[in-house]
Amino acid sequence: GQPMTMTFGDGSEHTPDFIALLSDHRQIVYDVKPSRLVPKAQAQFDKTAALCRTVGWGFEVLSDLPRQLHINLDWIASFRQPRFAATPDATQILLDALHTPMALGEAAALLPPLTGKPAIYHLVWMGQLHLNLTSLISNSTLISKETAHAHS
C-alpha cells in the first residue's frame, strides 16, 4: 500500500506511491505517473516537493520506463514463482561460481538442463543476482552477485 497521506496547508491531501530509505540514509518520496498525466498533477507534485523539503526528504516523480527496461522487467517478473527456483545445492553452486560477473549462458550451464535460465531469472527477481535490465537479455548478458557490476 501507499505509505502515508500528506495534508497541505490549504487543506488538500495527497497520498504518494511509496517512500524509500536509501543506503546513505536519505529518504525519498516517490509518485509514479505516466508522462502524459504529469502536467495535470504538477501543482500537486509542487506541493508535495515543498512539504518533503521542509522535513528533509527528497521527492521524485517516476514516469514511463524505457522500453527495453519495461520488457525485461516483465520478463523477469514472469519467473517470480518459487517453482522456478533451483534446488538449494544448485543455487549454491551457481553463487559460488559467481566470484566475478559471468555470461548468462555460461552460468545457466552450471545448473541442471532446462532449469538454468529460469532459475537465474528467479534469482534476479529475488534480488540475489543482478544483470543490466536496460539492454536486451542474451546468453552474453553478464550476471553477478554485485549490483555495482550490473547497473540493475
Side-chain angles (χ1 to χ4, degrees), residues 14-18 29-33 45 48 59-62:
H14 174 60
T15 304
D17 292 302
F18 61 98
V29 172
Y30 292 95
D31 267 308
V32 180
K33 284 275 189 247
F45 294 155
T48 302
F59 174 71
E60 292 183 29
V61 177
L62 303 177

Side-chain angles (χ1 to χ4, degrees), residues 59-80:
F59 174 71
E60 292 183 29
V61 177
L62 303 177
S63 292
D64 312 323
L65 294 175
R67 180 170 160 61
Q68 191 63 51
L69 178 57
H70 190 275
I71 289 167
N72 288 342
L73 287 173
D74 281 349
W75 177 251
I76 296 297
S78 68
F79 294 93
R80 66 185 172 272

Side-chain angles (χ1 to χ4, degrees), residues 19-92:
I19 188 169
L21 175 60
L22 305 183
S23 61
D24 62 4
H25 304 289
R26 289 181 300 130
Q27 294 181 45
I28 310 288
V29 172
Y30 292 95
D31 267 308
V32 180
K33 284 275 189 247
S35 57
R36 64 180 167 47
L37 298 179
V38 169
K40 181 179 175 183
Q42 191 60 55
Q44 183 181 61
F45 294 155
D46 292 344
K47 288 192 280 188
T48 302
L51 180 59
C52 287
R53 277 192 302 274
T54 65
V55 296
W57 295 346
F59 174 71
E60 292 183 29
V61 177
L62 303 177
S63 292
D64 312 323
L65 294 175
R67 180 170 160 61
Q68 191 63 51
L69 178 57
H70 190 275
I71 289 167
N72 288 342
L73 287 173
D74 281 349
W75 177 251
I76 296 297
S78 68
F79 294 93
R80 66 185 172 272
Q81 296 88 0
R83 71 175 182 261
F84 293 109
T87 65
D89 288 342
T91 298
Q92 194 58 54

